[in-house]
Amino acid sequence: MLELDIYIVDAFTQQQFKGNSAAVVPLQQWLSGELMQSIAAENNLSETAFIRGLSANKYEIRWFSPLTEIDFCGHATLAASYVIFNHLGGQGEIEFLTSQVGALLVNQHSDGRIEMSFPNQCPQVVEQVPAALLAGLSVKPIQVLKNRQAYFAVMASEQDVKSLSYSSEQLKQLAPFDVVVTAKANEYDFISRYFWPANGGDEDPVTGSIHAGLAPYWAKQLVKSDLVAYQASQRGGILFCSLSHDRVLVSGFAVLYLKGTAYI
């Protein structure tokens, strides 16, 4: 019987039961993709991150939703970094090697905030807006853009983002793309909500990866390179974003909820 340590971490928050939960499973060797998918489905969290150490502070990372393997997940990377820094003896800069988005570099600030360096995935304006996108959102966007991950529906107001409803069946038709809705905010620079019924669930609590697109978009709109974002889900989460050359730095706090052992 194989014993696996599993850490459950709430990411992009300093409070338990807020932010976005991710499971983190450190491995000595990769398990089969089928087994990792089964573990992620059993965990039934938005993401389970599997990490495999290669050398001091260098890891491979893979992310699985309950439905499928994901090619880029920010909040589970934050959760994995939190585990390495606080439970696996990591110090200094961490490098995660990925198959789809290259190397991700992570550092921890003196106050405990964890900063991740992501590729800039600024979205581009869509000329032909899919009918399923318009049908799937109760509020009509003022602009629609797209990057490799999702459609970006820009709303006229913060209240539009908070109050809109959505149709999962319609948004599923946009697969493999997810949908983020966003607007300029008052207390924060911008807010967003993220829907991914085709790839993992209906509404994601806090989505680090999409801020690799949101941050450069809003940096242009607001003419500033340092931004504070809020993802306005039921759990909610705060993200600190900045632009550095061709990278987007996304940072936040995390808190441990549970450490346990799985018997496979």
Side-chain angles (χ1 to χ4, degrees):
M1 181 175 290
L2 180 63
E3 296 186 10
L4 299 176
D5 289 333
I6 296 184
Y7 302 80
I8 298 179
V9 177
D10 292 334
F12 294 115
T13 183
Q14 292 178 281
Q15 303 176 58
Q16 286 185 342
F17 314 119
K18 298 292 185 180
N20 199 356
S21 295
V24 180
V25 183
L27 299 173
Q28 298 297 319
Q29 298 294 332
W30 288 122
L31 307 174
S32 69
E34 181 181 6
L35 179 54
M36 289 191 286
Q37 184 63 71
S38 295
I39 293 170
E42 185 77 6
N43 290 336
N44 200 30
L45 299 170
S46 58
E47 300 290 347
T48 295
F50 296 88
I51 56 174
R52 185 173 80 94
L54 300 176
S55 59
N57 281 18
K58 180 178 285 189
Y59 294 81
E60 291 179 316
I61 186 168
R62 293 172 68 180
W63 309 278
F64 288 78
S65 80
L67 298 181
T68 187
E69 185 169 6
I70 301 296
D71 63 11
F72 181 27
C73 177
H75 89 275
T77 302
L78 178 62
S81 303
Y82 175 89
V83 169
I84 292 169
F85 283 130
N86 293 279
H87 297 277
L88 302 181
Q91 295 181 348
E93 185 174 73
I94 296 171
E95 181 179 11
F96 288 111
L97 302 182
T98 77
S99 62
Q100 298 295 319
V101 291
L104 306 177
L105 302 179
V106 181
N107 290 277
Q108 187 170 40
H109 293 206
S110 59
D111 63 359
R113 182 156 54 100
I114 295 171
E115 182 178 82
M116 302 170 287
S117 175
F118 291 159
N120 187 319
Q121 297 191 353
C122 189
Q124 303 299 315
V125 174
V126 172
E127 295 184 3
Q128 188 71 33
V129 179
L133 175 63
L134 298 177
L137 300 175
S138 65
V139 180
K140 185 177 180 179
I142 60 174
Q143 187 180 42
V144 176
L145 306 93
K146 185 176 75 169
N147 70 3
R148 64 187 297 275
Q149 179 177 349
Y151 285 96
F152 291 62
V154 182
M155 298 297 170
S157 71
E158 179 176 359
Q159 186 57 37
D160 284 347
V161 171
K162 292 180 176 179
S163 63
L164 71 79
S165 58
Y166 61 96
S167 166
S168 291
E169 290 306 311
Q170 290 289 339
L171 298 186
K172 279 182 181 179
Q173 298 179 37
L174 301 171
F177 297 99
D178 300 323
V179 175
V180 60
V181 298
T182 185
K184 182 180 177 181
N186 295 318
E187 183 179 356
Y188 305 93
D189 290 303
F190 64 91
I191 67 167
S192 66
R193 292 171 65 191
Y194 190 87
F195 311 114
W196 62 322
N199 292 304
D202 286 336
E203 181 168 359
D204 195 40
V206 191
T207 314
S209 59
I210 200 61
H211 285 76
L214 286 169
Y217 170 79
W218 283 110
K220 290 181 180 179
Q221 304 305 308
L222 302 176
V223 195
K224 57 190 303 187
S225 58
D226 296 313
L227 308 106
V228 182
Y230 181 70
Q231 192 154 331
S233 66
Q234 183 176 0
R235 290 173 64 104
I238 298 173
L239 306 95
F240 303 88
C241 307
S242 62
L243 272 63
S244 177
H245 304 292
D246 62 341
R247 307 293 290 180
V248 178
L249 305 181
V250 178
S251 64
F253 294 95
V255 59
L256 181 69
Y257 171 66
L258 177 70
K259 179 187 176 183
T261 303
Y263 301 94
I264 307 301

